[in-house]
Amino acid sequence: MEQLQSSVLMPDATGRFGEFGGRFVPETLMPALLELEEAYNHFKNDPDFQAELKHYLREYVGRPNPLYFAERLTAELGGAQIYLKREDLNHTGAHKINNTIGQILLAKRMGKKRIIAETGAGQHGVATATVCAKFDFECEIFMGEEDVRRQSLNVFRMRLMGAKVTPITSGSRTLKDAVNATFRDWVTNVRTTYLLIGSAVGAHPYPMIVRDFQSIIGQETKQQIQEQTAKLPDLVVACVGGGSNSIGMFYPFCQDIEVSLIGVEAGGKGILSGEHSASLSAGSVGVFHGAKCHLLQENEGQVTPAHSISAGLDYPGVGPEHSFYQESGRAKYVSITDHEALEGFQRLAELEGIIPALETAHAIAYLSKVAPQMSSDQTIVLCLSGRGDKDVYTVADASGVRI
Amino acid sequence: MNRIDAKFQSLRQKQESAFIPYLCGADPNLEVTRQLILALDQVGTDIIELGVPFSDPIADGPTIQKASERALESKVTLNQLLDLVTELRRETEIPIVLMGYYNPIFFMGTERFFIKAKSVGVDGVIIPDLPIEESTQVLEMAQSHDVKVIFLVAPTSTPERMKKIAEASTGFIYCVSVTGVTGARQHVSTEIAPMVTELRKHTEKPICVGFGISNPGQAESVAKVADGVVIGSAIIDRIEANLGDETAIVQSVAQFATDLIQGIRG
């Protein structure tokens, strides 16, 4: 329990969550990471900064969003009461904007003029392009060529808002390679450019900053569930790619040990097939994109391209705080296949009239494994991290439908 | 004495700067890498920087990215590159520095890596994604197995960091000449001279400059201020241009190295 008590204070001064995290980056970037850490530590306690953040979260993002009781889904699964935290109702349709609003206000105070970001599904790219339009920043988004194809709608949205979208043709042409390209741009333009990472990954202080800005999800949920049920939930479920919506949901509950935390990774074509993105369930510890964390690797330390039907989960690493939660036993991580995720997608659409993002659909699919095992006086909260409009082509394609 | 220290001692007596070519191990295969190193040794190369290919080389530009991809097509591993050094040591005493990202070393286990590196005849390591803040364990292991750890200084490093890096680095200090990734450039960076001047305030250790140096003229101008000149992407361009003809690869790299050495020696 001592470990859990201290986990609220993590990371330590070197960016460690237990043994995970750290700053494994080229020297060129170290001064920029130290500058960012100093700026963040200053502004996070600055009342003006907090007031401005609160203002935009309310007036621009539309927070707080509802914690919604999913009546028909609960009845269908026949067990625990299921509540959905509606991050899909945020401006831009996903949780990603919680973080981009926070970081753009930080970038503004740091005097940066240009923003770069990586994106997989395009949700973080859209959320970044959005705040860059609103706060008048130059914006360049790096996106794997394969994801540009899978997520053409989001690419168009980013360009509408004035962002430059650069397709990446190296490596596996997905999120991993987009992150590499973003790092390379930052190494070159670090003096003028702010790197706006969208997941709880990368070198310190990014996992901490992203977690803190996403923690609004868990904070609101904690208050709302107590208002509605007069108690804490028994189980909190969220999908995990890099792990930003899940860490934002989990962190405010990390000391409430009676609340179980389950992260759902993308099992792709099944763990045994080798084509998946389940770095916690099936990977091993290594150093990737600046941090010590779990990752998929082969051939004595080469990083394996991940696979998932959902572009946003298609990443071979994971945030270091999740690695710590797994090692310490505070959270459990499971995986859901592409096929199961498609079923979850369909089920939520039919039963609740909500089309979820394919990322979120993994968490929904997991509910059918766990909710029926629980009793009707227990509650589950699921982080409905994004809406699924962007995924309808992928889903239609997988179902053999032409639209 | 470690081969790197011995090399710089003799260069200092001759008042010469070192020529340090970078090769990506197993680009396009291990046998060609072996032949290249022997050929480079014969034309008067001072130190070999042998790259360990990695799937996600975040500090490298397109040339070395492509070289890494070519090398990884054959599923080459860190262990195989260490075995290559064993083979090379039957024929050459040229100082060899391994340059590679941290994950393959971490995967092998830091202590196991340094034990094996020492036993096969590796003289030093450069780990571009391991800043001094993360280096405690690596430094400890390297020191107890007499392998040098060469740290990088960048144009963005503050004077305070330069001092710390100069203290931690052994063998030599690697001065990154540009704010950017590896790759040949048209002009030599104007950031080199002020960086070297600042570093000399803190250290007597040899200072070598790399990133962006691509022809004999540039090598000559860098050699005037630095103790060594590292050239990577421009050499890999010669390999890429001759893919499919291994004899031509070795000949063209050896010829280019000869020209570069002439530039460096003035």
Side-chain angles (χ1 to χ4, degrees):
Chain A
M1 280 314 95
E2 207 171 288
Q3 207 175 21
L4 282 182
Q5 294 289 331
S6 61
S7 68
V8 181
L9 302 172
M10 285 186 180
D12 66 14
T14 66
R16 285 293 195 292
F17 303 90
E19 66 162 305
F20 302 102
R23 280 176 292 220
F24 297 88
V25 295
E27 169 63 19
T28 309
L29 298 181
M30 275 305 295
L33 289 174
L34 295 169
E35 179 198 0
L36 175 62
E37 185 186 357
E38 198 187 320
Y40 177 68
N41 284 335
H42 173 75
F43 288 116
K44 78 173 175 190
N45 299 317
D46 175 45
D48 286 347
F49 179 83
Q50 286 302 334
E52 197 179 356
L53 177 61
K54 214 172 155 183
H55 167 80
Y56 286 113
L57 286 175
R58 189 179 64 235
E59 303 297 332
Y60 190 67
V61 176
R63 305 203 71 96
N65 54 39
L67 180 71
Y68 164 74
F69 175 56
E71 196 177 352
R72 290 193 67 204
L73 183 64
T74 298
E76 169 88 7
L77 295 179
Q81 311 294 305
I82 298 165
Y83 290 80
L84 307 175
K85 179 59 175 165
R86 298 293 306 275
E87 294 299 311
D88 61 317
L89 294 178
N90 291 341
H91 178 45
T92 74
H95 70 289
K96 291 292 185 186
I97 199 158
N98 301 329
N99 169 55
T100 58
I101 280 278
Q103 288 201 51
I104 204 81
L105 295 177
L106 191 57
K108 194 172 85 172
R109 279 166 173 76
M110 290 173 73
K112 305 288 180 182
K113 300 280 176 242
R114 176 173 176 263
I115 302 290
I116 54 171
E118 82 297 343
T119 198
Q123 290 303 94
H124 174 56
V126 167
T128 303
T130 301
V131 296
C132 285
K134 164 138 191 65
F135 292 93
D136 193 18
F137 280 82
E138 185 189 339
C139 176
E140 183 166 356
I141 305 291
F142 297 91
M143 187 168 184
E145 197 182 43
E146 171 69 12
D147 292 336
V148 168
R149 188 187 63 74
R150 286 196 279 192
Q151 303 290 345
S152 55
L153 178 66
N154 273 343
V155 172
F156 189 67
R157 292 168 79 194
M158 288 182 252
R159 287 180 175 150
L160 275 179
M161 291 183 283
K164 180 180 174 195
V165 181
T166 304
I168 302 306
T169 54
S170 58
S172 63
R173 304 172 183 210
T174 60
L175 180 55
K176 159 177 108 90
D177 307 284
V179 174
N180 291 342
T182 312
F183 270 114
R184 287 183 192 119
D185 183 289
W186 205 37
V187 167
T188 308
N189 300 303
V190 61
R191 289 190 169 100
T192 57
T193 296
Y194 183 97
L195 166 60
L196 208 165
I197 292 184
S199 197
V201 302
H204 179 64
Y206 283 103
M208 168 179 78
I209 291 177
V210 175
R211 174 200 69 196
D212 288 355
F213 287 135
Q214 291 295 1
S215 289
I216 186 79
I217 303 173
Q219 287 159 11
E220 284 178 9
T221 300
K222 204 168 174 178
Q223 195 187 337
Q224 290 166 321
I225 194 75
Q226 291 183 98
E227 282 164 10
Q228 293 182 42
T229 68
K231 57 177 187 162
L232 290 174
D234 297 280
L235 172 63
V236 173
V237 180
C239 64
V240 181
S244 67
N245 88 85
S246 44
I247 205 68
M249 182 57 121
F250 290 175
Y251 183 66
F253 289 102
C254 76
Q255 280 188 292
D256 303 306
I257 50 160
E258 66 274 31
V259 180
S260 302
L261 309 173
I262 294 184
V264 184
E265 296 189 292
K269 296 177 181 169
I271 300 292
L272 293 177
S273 74
E275 292 184 53
H276 58 81
S277 305
S279 40
L280 288 161
S281 312
S284 55
V285 178
V287 173
F288 182 50
H289 285 158
K292 190 184 282 189
C293 63
H294 288 79
L295 64 126
L296 304 177
Q297 46 188 335
E298 60 183 1
N299 196 20
E300 298 181 17
Q302 305 296 336
V303 182
T304 320
H307 167 82
S308 169
I309 192 169
S310 126
L313 301 182
D314 203 344
Y315 183 67
V318 69
E321 197 162 7
H322 284 295
S323 286
F324 173 71
Y325 277 13
Q326 166 158 291
E327 292 289 304
S328 66
R330 180 61 192 96
K332 210 176 89 176
Y333 296 86
V334 297
S335 68
I336 283 291
T337 64
D338 290 348
H339 181 73
E340 291 169 315
L342 286 165
E343 286 176 0
F345 183 91
Q346 184 71 46
R347 183 174 299 128
L348 196 71
E350 277 175 14
L351 292 175
E352 298 292 344
I354 298 171
I355 297 174
L358 271 176
E359 292 75 21
T360 318
H362 286 73
I364 294 159
Y366 181 68
L367 289 181
S368 62
K369 300 193 176 189
V370 67
Q373 315 297 322
M374 294 168 69
S375 70
S376 60
D377 59 355
Q378 292 185 297
T379 53
I380 300 176
V381 168
L382 179 138
C383 185
L384 212 160
S385 52
R387 69 176 186 225
D389 309 44
K390 69 184 175 59
D391 293 315
V392 292
Y393 287 105
T394 306
V395 174
D397 202 36
S399 333
V401 178
R402 279 195 67 182
I403 49 174
Chain B
M1 186 191 269
N2 183 294
R3 293 182 191 91
I4 299 170
D5 290 342
K7 173 55 74 176
F8 279 109
Q9 207 174 58
S10 95
L11 284 169
R12 275 197 176 165
Q13 279 163 4
K14 293 188 278 185
Q15 294 194 316
E16 282 180 359
S17 294
F19 167 55
I20 311 175
Y22 166 95
L23 295 171
C24 177
D27 169 33
N29 60 55
L30 281 168
E31 174 53 23
V32 172
T33 303
R34 191 186 71 88
Q35 289 177 25
L36 281 170
I37 291 172
L38 294 176
L40 285 166
D41 185 18
Q42 273 190 348
V43 299
T45 295
D46 298 297
I47 297 171
I48 293 284
E49 213 178 285
L50 178 58
V52 181
F54 182 53
S55 51
D56 297 84
I58 57 168
D60 287 302
T63 306
I64 295 181
Q65 286 174 45
K66 275 189 259 166
S68 307
E69 285 180 20
R70 283 196 296 271
L72 289 173
E73 272 171 28
S74 65
K75 303 264 173 206
V76 67
T77 63
L78 175 54
N79 266 306
Q80 286 174 313
L81 286 172
L82 290 167
D83 293 343
L84 173 67
V85 178
T86 307
E87 244 178 86
L88 284 163
R89 281 288 171 244
R90 295 188 193 118
E91 300 184 67
T92 175
E93 283 300 304
I94 193 166
I96 296 178
V97 174
L98 282 191
M99 178 160 189
Y101 292 85
Y102 187 42
N103 195 51
I105 295 173
F106 178 83
F107 187 93
M108 184 180 282
T110 306
E111 180 158 31
R112 253 187 77 207
F113 168 75
F114 280 106
I115 291 170
K116 185 153 184 195
K118 179 65 189 174
S119 77
V120 300
V122 166
D123 305 292
V125 295
I126 303 172
I127 309 173
D129 57 346
L130 193 81
I132 43 171
E133 281 82 352
E134 301 290 351
S135 67
T136 315
Q137 201 207 0
V138 162
L139 278 173
E140 214 172 275
M141 295 297 164
Q143 198 180 13
S144 64
H145 298 286
D146 185 33
V147 175
K148 305 291 184 188
V149 180
I150 295 122
F151 285 94
L152 295 96
V153 167
T156 51
S157 307
T158 57
E160 192 189 12
R161 290 187 66 79
M162 285 194 192
K163 184 162 180 266
K164 278 191 203 160
I165 294 167
E167 278 164 16
S169 200
T170 52
F172 61 92
I173 299 156
Y174 191 133
C175 199
V176 174
S177 75
V178 293
T179 308
V181 294
T182 58
R185 285 166 175 80
Q186 284 205 314
H187 301 287
V188 168
S189 163
T190 52
E191 300 187 275
I192 297 172
M195 250 192 300
V196 173
T197 310
E198 178 64 37
L199 276 170
R200 298 264 190 229
K201 288 187 209 162
H202 309 295
T203 185
E204 304 261 291
K205 292 173 188 170
I207 298 169
C208 300
V209 174
F211 280 41
I213 303 159
S214 59
N215 62 47
Q218 293 177 345
E220 183 183 356
S221 72
V222 173
K224 283 184 182 138
V225 292
D227 304 300
V229 183
V230 185
I231 297 174
S233 297
I235 289 173
I236 291 171
D237 283 339
R238 267 72 187 174
I239 296 175
E240 199 178 83
N242 291 289
L243 284 173
D245 184 346
E246 297 182 352
T247 316
I249 288 177
V250 177
Q251 274 174 359
S252 98
V253 169
Q255 182 55 53
F256 185 46
T258 307
D259 298 344
L260 290 166
I261 290 168
Q262 242 170 30
I264 290 167
R265 308 270 192 263

